[in-house]
Amino acid sequence: MTAIRLLLVDDDPLVRAGLSLMMGGADDIEIVGEAADGAEVEALVDRTRPDVVLMDIRMPSVDGLTATERLRARKDAPQVVVLTTFHADEQVLRALRAGAAGFVLKDTPPAEIVDAVRRVATGDPVLSPTVTRQLVEHAVGNAADTRRARARERVALLNDREREVAVAVGRGLSNAEIAADLFMSVATVKTHVSRILAKLDLNNRVQIALLAYDAGLLEEPEGNGH
């Protein structure tokens, strides 16, 4: 089995040392580099080719949000897991919208952080539907109405079945759970998810979930995709 290549990005050397220690104990994870600021990330990614970047949000020069946006705009970008001290934070939400595959709190037990890296390396987002809802509700104000209108325009590009799958993803269901819920095979679910990502120019399932929330799809009765 090929080891997961991991890049650590945090301005606190003690945090980096702790992360390096906990990740170094996993046989299937290889730390390929460390950075103290977001300004260093792109060059390090070019040099080390990580599968996953564990990214602090708050850094003095270039923050993790900006670094995530720059990375995820690149072709063949690595997955990004955001490190934060607050679970309902506007910057975390913006990082997720930019394409981060999820986030972990800095006080998360070490085994769960290791598991998060493993999950995103296989394309499984690290985000519960409850936390997604908290994040979306945190971003209130005038921008919310504009965002909803734009989200509804984008969702209109989906056919009925794709819309149902998008709602299920927003509810936090796995592919197997979606397949059982919508009476289709897991392979068909994966095909629908891939088509949704391509149609809406999204990076991952987290962005599908956020778009579903933005469009108000999860406020509608379940199964009302027609």
Side-chain angles (χ1 to χ4, degrees):
M1 177 178 169
T2 304
I4 299 164
R5 299 174 62 81
L6 177 67
L7 176 63
L8 303 177
V9 185
D10 197 294
D11 65 322
D12 188 334
L14 290 178
V15 172
R16 291 201 310 276
L19 290 170
S20 181
L21 186 63
M22 79 172 71
M23 295 298 171
D27 294 337
D28 57 341
I29 296 176
E30 176 189 0
I31 298 172
V32 296
E34 296 184 15
D37 192 83
E40 306 169 31
V41 171
E42 287 189 275
L44 265 176
V45 166
D46 287 338
R47 189 161 69 247
T48 63
R49 298 294 177 186
D51 301 304
V52 179
V53 178
L54 200 52
M55 180 92 73
D56 187 22
I57 280 280
R58 292 172 175 82
M59 291 179 285
S61 179
V62 175
D63 63 25
L65 169 62
T66 302
T68 297
E69 289 174 336
R70 290 175 180 174
L71 273 187
R72 294 303 300 173
R74 294 159 52 117
K75 185 179 180 181
D76 299 324
Q79 297 292 343
V80 177
V81 180
V82 170
L83 275 171
T84 182
T85 52
F86 302 102
H87 69 273
D89 183 281
E90 173 67 17
Q91 286 188 304
V92 175
L93 181 60
R94 287 176 61 194
L96 295 173
R97 293 189 191 283
F103 72 92
V104 292
L105 298 177
K106 288 191 175 182
D107 60 359
T108 298
E112 292 183 23
I113 296 181
V114 172
D115 182 61
V117 169
R118 289 175 175 145
R119 286 173 57 188
V120 299
T122 62
D124 186 13
V126 184
L127 198 65
S128 73
T130 300
V131 170
T132 306
R133 188 174 298 111
Q134 289 175 331
L135 284 165
V136 173
E137 289 173 352
H138 181 74
V140 295
N142 294 333
D145 291 336
T146 302
R147 195 165 55 241
R148 171 156 295 194
R150 286 200 299 259
R152 286 187 176 273
E153 286 179 5
R154 296 180 72 189
V155 167
L157 298 173
L158 304 178
N159 62 38
D160 287 345
R161 206 56 163 160
E162 290 164 347
R163 179 187 169 105
E164 290 175 338
V165 171
V167 170
V169 169
R171 287 169 50 207
L173 301 185
S174 67
N175 285 341
E177 290 169 331
I178 296 173
D181 198 39
L182 298 181
F183 306 102
M184 61 177 72
S185 69
V186 171
T188 301
V189 173
K190 290 179 179 179
T191 297
H192 281 307
V193 170
S194 295
R195 286 176 179 168
I196 293 168
L197 292 171
K199 274 188 177 182
L200 303 184
D201 193 25
L202 300 175
N203 283 297
N204 53 41
R205 294 168 71 100
V206 172
Q207 289 189 325
I208 294 176
L210 289 171
L211 187 67
Y213 278 106
D214 284 348
L217 298 186
L218 278 84
E219 298 170 9
E220 301 171 2
E222 290 181 14
N224 186 24
H226 299 277

